[in-house]
């Protein structure tokens, strides 16, 4: 993985600092692994973005997404289709198909073959919103478990928030173009959750990292609604 510190990623038209869901029990090992491999990277206050201070590294899924996105923007749909067929995005869709909207993989393939950039964008938006939602579900579950020190609970919260932002940030521009209220709601909830798990003044652990559960639950609710409405729209247009 290549460090992404200081990198600015253009997500379907707007520059954003790179950032960083876990699913129901059937795919819990997959998503737990995704969150575990993400190193918690806290930058200096001067480098912090207004919705957090996470600067995650790319992984195979995010790298493949960017390759597909840039090919679509260049109208090289033949290249984008090859990248999708052989890449990590499609593999992740297949691995987590049981908790994704039905037909997402086939719909993405069809949009690429039809050279429909807007539809490709929408279906990839749904996929990455689902990853973020499911990581938020697992974050809420783990923060709600009894026991653990404030330090360990805060570390868990930070790990999952970085994972959530890693995936959601890739498609925030697409979300904002279709539903600006949802984009704002996710960002505000992320900010609030981050505030509950950041170290206090002097490096002391947060008083109660479990307070992050409420804004994380809002992320789940907003993204669940977004996925449902966007999936309905996608079905109607197919």
């Amino acid at each position: 993985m290549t460090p992404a510190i200081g990198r600015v990623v253009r997500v379907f038209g707007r520059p954003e600092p790179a950032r960083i869901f876990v699913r129901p029990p059937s795919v819990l090992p997959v998503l737990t692994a995704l969150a575990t491999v993400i190193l918690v990277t806290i930058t200096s206050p001067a480098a912090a973005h207004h919705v957090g201070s996470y600067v995650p590294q790319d992984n195979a899924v995010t790298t493949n997404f960017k390759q597909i996105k840039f090919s679509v923007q260049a109208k090289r749909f033949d290249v984008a289709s090859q990248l999708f067929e052989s890449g990590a995005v499609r593999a992740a869709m297949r691995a987590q198909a049981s908790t994704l909207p039905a037909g997402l993989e086939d719909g993405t393939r069809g949009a690429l073959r039809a050279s429909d950039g807007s539809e490709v964008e929408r279906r990839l938006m749904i996929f990455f919103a689902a990853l973020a939602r499911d990581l938020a579900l697992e974050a809420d579950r783990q923060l709600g478990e009894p026991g653990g020190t404030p330090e360990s609970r805060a570390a868990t919260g930070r790990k999952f928030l970085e994972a959530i932002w890693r995936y959601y940030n890739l498609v925030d521009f697409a979300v904002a173009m279709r539903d600006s209220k949802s984009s704002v709601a996710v960002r505000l909830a992320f900010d609030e959750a981050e505030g509950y798990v950041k170290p206090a003044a002097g490096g002391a652990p947060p008083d109660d990292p479990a307070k992050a559960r409420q804004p994380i639950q809002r992320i789940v609710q907003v993204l669940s609604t977004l996925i449902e409405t966007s999936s309905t729209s996608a079905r109607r247009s197919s």
Side-chain angles (χ1 to χ4, degrees):
M1 296 190 295
T2 303
I5 295 177
R7 177 179 301 170
V8 174
V9 179
R10 183 170 298 277
V11 180
F12 289 112
R14 186 181 67 181
E16 284 286 356
R19 296 238 192 190
I20 83 147
F21 260 16
V22 178
R23 317 188 153 278
S26 61
V27 290
L28 181 59
V30 175
L31 287 160
T32 299
L34 281 174
T36 301
V37 299
I38 297 168
L39 298 178
V40 179
T41 305
I42 306 299
T43 64
S44 66
H49 186 263
H50 68 283
V51 286
S53 55
Y54 299 125
V55 186
Q57 297 176 334
D58 275 326
N59 62 14
V61 175
T62 61
T63 296
N64 187 220
F65 166 84
K66 293 170 187 177
Q67 293 169 338
I68 295 168
K69 176 192 68 177
F70 295 144
S71 297
V72 168
Q73 289 177 332
K75 300 189 182 304
R76 292 298 309 274
F77 288 95
D78 56 335
V79 174
S81 183
Q82 293 173 10
L83 288 166
F84 176 73
E85 291 295 337
S86 62
V89 168
R90 180 181 176 224
M93 283 184 178
R94 288 193 160 190
Q96 302 170 35
S98 62
T99 58
L100 293 173
L104 190 61
E105 178 190 348
D106 289 341
T108 304
R109 179 184 295 110
L112 286 165
R113 290 177 176 174
S115 300
D116 188 342
S118 178
E119 188 64 12
V120 173
E121 178 185 87
R122 172 163 50 186
R123 291 184 182 272
L124 290 176
M125 177 193 74
I126 292 170
F127 173 60
F128 282 94
L131 289 182
R133 174 203 61 194
D134 294 343
L135 281 168
L137 280 168
E138 179 62 12
D140 179 45
R141 185 190 72 79
Q142 291 197 20
L143 287 172
E145 290 180 343
T149 65
E151 292 92 338
S152 65
R153 292 162 74 84
T156 295
R158 289 194 298 269
K159 175 183 68 175
F160 277 102
L161 286 174
E162 183 174 0
I164 291 164
W165 191 254
R166 171 195 289 269
Y167 297 117
Y168 175 75
N169 184 60
L170 292 173
V171 294
D172 178 62
F173 181 77
V175 173
M177 291 294 291
R178 291 166 171 78
D179 186 349
S180 60
K181 290 184 178 179
S182 291
S183 174
V184 171
V186 170
R187 287 170 168 269
L188 289 175
F190 187 95
D191 272 350
E192 183 180 344
E194 184 185 12
Y196 289 127
V197 299
K198 289 193 304 186
D207 291 334
D208 187 4
K211 290 181 179 178
R213 293 185 66 195
Q214 288 190 351
I216 287 173
Q217 289 167 3
R218 292 204 303 273
I219 292 174
V220 173
Q221 293 168 356
V222 172
L223 291 180
S224 295
T225 300
L226 173 74
I227 292 162
E228 175 58 29
T229 56
S230 298
S231 298
T232 300
S233 177
R235 288 194 294 270
R236 290 174 178 171
S237 65
S238 61

